[in-house]
Amino acid sequence: MSAFRIWLEAAYLPAFRAVGWTFVLHGGGETRAWAGGERRVSEQRALLLALQAALKAAPAGKDEIVLTTTNGFLATVPKTIAEASSGGEATEEDLDLWAALSTALAARPVKIQRTGSAAGTPAAFASAWAELSRDRAKGGPFQLAIPKTNVAKIQGLP
């Protein structure tokens, strides 16, 4: 079983309740990246939307996904879902996204790990684009593929 790698970063601006997110998907012989943003959302909802978009972009199949992020909240999503499923305290906000993510995480092996954002890594690339996306999201929601010429500049891919 091969693995697809995803690096996901988000940048939130409380004054505008705006978020920008970016993820890099590497696997199957290619690397692609997307950026998006939302306005007038809570930080939690924005992060869950970003995670949902990243997981949807991965090709269907049984290949493992290794998702790497510097965001502490995103790294705890599988644990939060597992605790709620086993009778623990469940969140009352964003139930639609929690349900969709619970289904997505149960459908295939996904390992979410937290990392630092060292220069010259896919995480640093995603972080820089997330900040640009956050600023663009002040004007309203969007989602777009990052041009291949920019993606080709990503360093540190396995």
Side-chain angles (χ1 to χ4, degrees):
M1 181 182 338
S2 62
F4 281 88
R5 297 287 312 259
I6 298 175
W7 291 267
L8 172 62
E9 296 299 329
Y12 188 72
L13 185 60
F16 290 90
R17 293 184 58 209
V19 68
W21 51 262
T22 299
F23 63 87
V24 175
L25 173 64
H26 178 72
E30 67 178 323
T31 302
R32 297 175 287 159
W34 288 266
E38 297 280 335
R39 184 165 184 204
R40 296 186 184 102
V41 294
S42 69
E43 184 172 16
Q44 174 179 293
R45 183 162 186 84
L47 292 169
L48 294 173
L49 285 167
L51 179 57
Q52 183 181 39
L55 293 175
K56 279 185 178 180
K62 296 295 180 189
D63 294 327
E64 179 183 39
I65 296 173
V66 178
L67 189 141
T68 304
T69 184
T70 61
N71 186 283
F73 172 77
L74 288 174
T76 65
V77 167
K79 180 180 176 187
T80 302
I81 290 172
E83 288 174 356
S85 297
S86 65
E89 188 174 329
T91 182
E92 294 181 15
E93 297 177 2
D94 306 315
L95 293 177
D96 58 330
L97 293 173
W98 284 107
L101 287 169
S102 178
T103 301
L105 292 171
R108 69 192 297 178
V110 178
K111 178 182 176 185
I112 299 179
Q113 59 189 22
R114 191 168 180 197
T115 188
S117 183
T121 64
F125 175 90
S127 182
W129 271 86
E131 289 180 15
L132 291 170
S133 299
R134 175 198 61 204
D135 293 341
R136 181 174 177 178
K138 291 178 194 175
F142 76 97
Q143 187 171 349
L144 55 85
I146 296 175
K148 290 184 180 187
T149 54
N150 293 86
V151 174
K153 297 175 184 175
I154 299 174
Q155 301 172 359
L157 292 171

